Amino acid sequence: MEEKKLDLNSIIGFVLIFGILIWIMYQNQPSEAAIVAEKAKKEQVAKEDKASKVVVNQDAEVPTIGAVGDTIQLAKLQKSLGNFAYSASLPSAKDTVTIIENDLVILKIANKGGYIVEATLKNFERFKKGSGQLVELIKDNNANLNVQLLTTDNRTLNTKDLFFEPILTKYGADQILSMRLKSGANEYLEYKYILKPNDYMIGFEIHSQGLKSVLDASKPLNIEWDLKSFRNEKSVSTENRYSEICYEYEDAKSNYIGQGTDKMEMVSDVSYVAFKQHFFCSVLLTDVPFKSAELHSNNLVHDDKIDTIYTKQFKAIIPIAFKNGEIDQKMNWYFGPSDYAILKTYDKNLEDIVPLGWGIFGWINRHAFIPMYGFLSMFIAPGWAIILFTILVKLFMSPVTYKSFLSQAKMKVLKPEITELGEKFKKDPMKKQQETMKLYNKAGVNPMAGCVPGLLQMPVFYALFQFFPSAISLRQKGFLWADDLSSFDSVYKLPFHVPAYGDHISLFPILASIAIFFYMKMTTGDQQMAAPQQEGMPDMAKIMKYMIYISPVMMLLFFNNYASGLSLYYFVSNTITIGIMLVIKNYIIDSDKIHAQIQVNKLKEPKKQGKFQRKLQEVMEQAEAQKAKDKKK
């Protein structure tokens, strides 16, 4: 049998066969894009909570636009998304962000959805000064902006699931970021962001070009904006109390959606919507008012020991109309502090976001307390500014305090005579009241004079109650043992939680409670000595006695978790008032002189009765006449 040898031709044949096999294997191996797509698909399955889908109708879903170059997937998307699948072939069809920033804010805008995924405030820290954590109003997918696109072939697309192409340019010092969702080379939906230097306000516009044949213009587009507000302050309960939706409507009217679960309001002619987080806010403004807005607020703090990450869930649904078949809406974003002075500079009534109180209370804060405290804090530290501010307020109110004490002193001098009338007309209360009123009129004493000063002080009291928790200038500013005058001043952490009090002990509320105890003991004692005993009200003295002890306890419980700046104010205020009372009582008001003056007044012609006194006298006379008539029957 002839032996076969491996000749040159055989070797060449084997080499060619081997080369052909290598070439076939190379041609059939997966492309890099396919590998990326397969990897993305596996990650999508493993992390379904982070996966995204584009809903095109109620019965069908397609995957998010993903790997570039995957012809099969692109064909499927083209069939489902129509013209907007053009975006799948763009380099921007991936989860990347574009950063724009100035000296105040850092904004990161994602290709996917075209909206801000991070909004960071450079000059503010979370929780406490030195924490190293900057305030981030938007992060970790806590906010979203979506525009529902209704197509001419009855499909609904959501922009939050589609990819935009970023184009960043500069015009002078301004940064202009155009985010375009393309339907073709020259057909697109555009979000435009304009950031100026040293400004919290960002220009924002929504435009469309060449989409008349793609979008159904018979119905307005819905802007859906939602935000889950992060906690930024030491006290979650206080921050939650001041977190709410504020809005302006119907030509400069302002309102808010208060506390509670699943709050919803429909409003019309809306100029701005603000998602307020106590000392910070995210605001959407428009040059031309929105015709309507559907606003939702949901409380997320049900237990402040457990619910410590978020405070509120906000949502706004705002329709925008087409103009000649296209979209053209000019707006602004504001991401920054709820600072009255800063918000007022924009001249868009944004300062109404700061809760200063309604009516006269807000007027006092805007035109008196804010300018006064702002001026003082320019020269001295916030804690000392509060003390000096308190002294000035008490000096301004000292004439009212003096009038109140003078009235009490006069009533105290007349008390023996009033008691004598009470004994004389013991069996006839109506007659006793008539004679008492005559005595007051003859002596020139107004029994209501002691109440009026107290009523005049109420607007000031309530205005200050609104001012201190809203003053961002107190945030993270320390004084003595308090490290943050906008929050509680804890000096001891309790190992347990006391209902209505908390899990810590604040010192300023204790000092304020002690001061109000001595203040009430002094004023209530004088009032009880001056006021005559009234028939049918035998327990009033006992009630006032109890109030001396109840009021300080109520203040202690309420203010333990409140702004320490407010407790500092009330402590200093009541201490100063006690001092003023002692000076007036011991050095200014002379009971002997008052008694002598009353005796002189009695000899004079009685003053003409005022309308109130005359009306009261008529009522009593009518009652007396009716009583006499009933006796005859």
Side-chain angles (χ1 to χ4, degrees):
M1 187 174 183
E2 184 179 355
E3 184 179 0
K4 293 185 178 180
K5 296 181 180 180
L6 191 65
D7 57 7
L8 181 61
N9 293 331
S10 298
I11 293 173
I12 293 172
F14 280 119
V15 171
L16 290 174
I17 292 170
F18 182 76
I20 292 170
L21 290 173
I22 294 297
W23 182 80
I24 293 172
M25 292 173 63
Y26 177 79
Q27 289 297 319
N28 287 278
Q29 71 175 347
S31 65
E32 183 180 351
I35 292 172
V36 173
E38 182 64 21
K39 183 179 179 181
K41 185 176 180 181
K42 290 180 179 179
E43 290 177 351
Q44 182 177 352
V45 173
K47 301 177 181 180
E48 290 185 1
D49 59 325
K50 294 184 179 180
S52 181
K53 293 186 176 181
V54 179
V55 180
V56 296
N57 56 50
Q58 295 182 349
D59 303 315
E61 294 182 346
V62 296
T64 304
I65 299 173
V68 178
D70 190 337
T71 308
I72 297 175
Q73 185 185 24
L74 182 57
K76 290 180 179 179
L77 290 173
Q78 181 71 38
K79 182 179 179 181
S80 300
L81 300 181
N83 298 44
F84 286 102
Y86 178 86
S87 298
S89 64
L90 298 173
S92 61
K94 51 188 176 182
D95 282 333
T96 57
V97 299
T98 304
I99 300 175
I100 56 176
E101 64 177 299
N102 58 20
D103 293 337
L104 303 178
V105 297
I106 304 173
L107 302 176
K108 294 183 180 180
I109 296 93
N111 290 2
K112 185 178 180 182
Y115 181 56
I116 300 165
V117 291
E118 287 188 22
T120 305
L121 306 184
K122 291 185 174 182
N123 300 326
F124 297 93
E125 293 180 283
R126 300 182 70 198
F127 305 130
K128 63 180 181 179
K129 191 174 182 179
S131 68
Q133 301 180 55
L134 294 179
V135 170
E136 296 175 286
L137 299 182
I138 301 177
K139 67 171 184 175
D140 298 338
N141 299 316
N142 74 313
N144 213 338
L145 180 76
N146 181 53
V147 176
Q148 286 192 340
L149 304 176
L150 306 177
T151 65
T152 52
D153 54 352
N154 296 321
R155 288 177 292 111
T156 301
L157 306 178
N158 293 298
T159 59
K160 67 179 181 179
D161 298 317
L162 304 176
F163 285 87
F164 289 67
E165 181 182 30
I167 304 172
L168 180 60
T169 58
K170 286 190 176 182
Y171 185 79
D174 297 349
Q175 301 171 65
I176 302 173
L177 176 61
S178 170
M179 303 294 294
R180 292 183 178 180
L181 173 63
K182 291 195 171 183
S183 174
N186 295 307
E187 296 84 34
Y188 54 83
L189 176 72
E190 179 185 46
Y191 294 168
K192 183 181 287 186
Y193 299 88
I194 304 169
L195 181 63
K196 297 181 179 181
N198 200 38
D199 200 348
Y200 290 106
M201 189 73 74
I202 301 108
F204 179 61
E205 301 174 9
I206 299 181
H207 300 287
S208 69
Q209 177 174 304
L211 299 183
K212 290 183 180 181
S213 61
V214 178
L215 299 181
D216 181 3
S218 63
K219 299 177 183 177
L221 297 183
N222 280 338
I223 295 179
E224 298 176 354
W225 176 39
D226 58 83
L227 184 142
K228 197 175 183 180
S229 60
F230 281 106
R231 170 196 173 192
N232 289 306
E233 309 305 324
K234 185 164 66 172
S235 173
V236 64
S237 59
T238 301
E239 183 175 3
N240 186 51
R241 185 184 303 119
Y242 289 97
S243 295
E244 57 199 6
I245 296 180
C246 304
Y247 58 91
E248 185 183 67
Y249 68 108
E250 294 179 1
D251 193 22
K253 294 180 182 178
S254 60
N255 207 340
Y256 66 95
I257 298 179
Q259 307 299 310
T261 302
D262 295 329
K263 294 281 187 178
M264 192 276 283
E265 286 189 18
M266 290 292 300
V267 291
S268 57
D269 296 327
V270 180
S271 302
Y272 67 73
V273 175
F275 294 165
K276 182 173 173 293
Q277 303 171 228
H278 195 183
F279 288 124
F280 305 97
C281 56
S282 306
V283 190
L284 177 62
L285 308 92
T286 177
D287 294 342
V288 179
F290 301 118
K291 287 188 176 180
S292 65
E294 181 181 326
L295 307 177
H296 298 261
S297 176
N298 190 18
N299 180 35
L300 301 179
V301 181
H302 305 289
D303 186 337
D304 57 14
K305 299 187 297 297
I306 300 173
D307 305 322
T308 59
I309 299 176
Y310 302 100
T311 56
K312 292 286 196 310
Q313 175 73 62
F314 300 127
K315 185 173 184 178
I317 302 174
I318 303 169
I320 55 175
F322 284 88
K323 298 176 182 178
N324 300 319
E326 299 286 0
I327 305 167
D328 185 17
Q329 186 76 37
K330 293 185 179 180
M331 296 169 282
N332 291 92
W333 292 110
Y334 175 89
F335 297 103
S338 301
D339 187 313
Y340 182 88
I342 293 175
L343 294 173
K344 190 174 177 59
T345 60
Y346 293 109
D347 196 25
K348 293 181 180 292
N349 300 323
L350 291 177
E351 65 272 16
D352 290 343
I353 293 172
V354 182
L356 298 176
W358 55 273
I360 189 173
F361 313 117
W363 189 92
I364 292 172
N365 275 324
R366 284 189 292 272
H367 300 287
F369 293 157
I370 289 178
M372 185 192 304
Y373 179 79
F375 176 77
L376 295 174
S377 60
M378 290 171 60
F379 303 100
I380 54 179
W384 293 109
I386 290 176
I387 293 174
L388 183 54
F389 173 82
T390 308
I391 293 172
L392 293 175
V393 171
K394 296 310 294 183
L395 288 175
F396 176 77
M397 298 299 295
S398 58
V400 176
T401 305
Y402 172 75
K403 286 285 185 181
S404 178
F405 269 75
L406 182 61
S407 176
Q408 290 178 16
K410 289 180 178 180
M411 294 290 291
K412 186 176 178 181
V413 169
L414 286 177
K415 188 178 181 182
E417 295 182 56
I418 295 172
T419 303
E420 184 179 341
L421 289 175
E423 291 294 327
K424 183 177 180 181
F425 301 103
K426 188 174 183 179
K427 296 182 180 180
D428 194 345
M430 187 63 67
K431 186 66 175 177
K432 187 190 76 171
Q433 290 287 350
Q434 291 176 342
E435 293 300 320
T436 301
M437 292 298 294
K438 287 180 181 179
L439 174 63
Y440 287 149
N441 188 46
K442 192 175 182 181
V445 175
N446 184 359
M448 299 298 294
C451 302
V452 173
L455 293 175
L456 291 176
Q457 293 184 67
M458 287 303 295
V460 175
F461 175 87
Y462 184 77
L464 289 166
F465 185 79
Q466 293 289 105
F467 168 75
F468 282 103
S470 302
I472 193 173
S473 56
L474 297 179
R475 185 178 186 269
Q476 296 179 358
K477 299 297 192 300
F479 180 67
L480 299 178
W481 56 84
D483 58 4
D484 187 347
L485 288 168
S486 72
S487 188
F488 55 81
D489 58 309
S490 176
V491 294
Y492 182 74
K493 180 76 173 179
L494 297 173
F496 48 83
H497 186 272
V498 180
Y501 184 72
D503 58 359
H504 63 273
I505 296 175
S506 297
L507 185 53
F508 276 132
I510 294 175
L511 296 175
S513 299
I514 293 172
I516 199 172
F517 169 77
F518 285 106
Y519 167 75
M520 291 194 68
K521 197 166 184 65
M522 291 177 66
T523 56
T524 304
D526 288 341
Q527 288 171 358
Q528 287 177 347
M529 290 180 65
Q533 184 70 32
Q534 299 292 327
E535 293 289 337
M537 301 178 66
D539 296 325
M540 278 303 296
K542 188 180 292 185
I543 292 173
M544 294 301 295
K545 183 179 180 180
Y546 289 148
M547 287 302 296
I548 296 175
Y549 301 95
I550 293 174
S551 294
V553 173
M554 293 298 293
M555 171 168 274
L556 185 63
L557 293 175
F558 185 78
F559 283 87
N560 191 60
N561 292 289
Y562 225 70
S564 54
L566 185 61
S567 300
L568 171 62
Y569 168 81
Y570 284 129
F571 165 62
V572 176
S573 176
N574 286 318
T575 302
I576 293 173
T577 303
I578 290 171
I580 292 174
M581 287 168 58
L582 292 173
V583 171
I584 292 174
K585 187 176 182 179
N586 296 322
Y587 299 101
I588 298 177
I589 292 179
D590 189 330
S591 298
D592 294 335
K593 287 184 178 180
I594 292 173
H595 183 269
Q597 183 62 48
I598 287 176
Q599 300 308 316
V600 171
N601 291 341
K602 287 181 180 180
L603 300 175
K604 296 179 181 179
E605 192 72 24
K607 291 183 179 180
K608 187 178 180 181
Q609 289 182 328
K611 290 183 179 180
F612 176 77
Q613 289 179 312
R614 188 164 60 251
K615 187 66 176 177
L616 184 61
Q617 183 73 22
E618 290 175 1
V619 170
M620 288 190 293
E621 289 175 356
Q622 290 174 4
E624 186 69 22
Q626 183 64 38
K627 184 177 179 181
K629 186 177 179 181
D630 292 340
K631 282 183 178 180
K632 290 180 180 180
K633 292 181 179 179

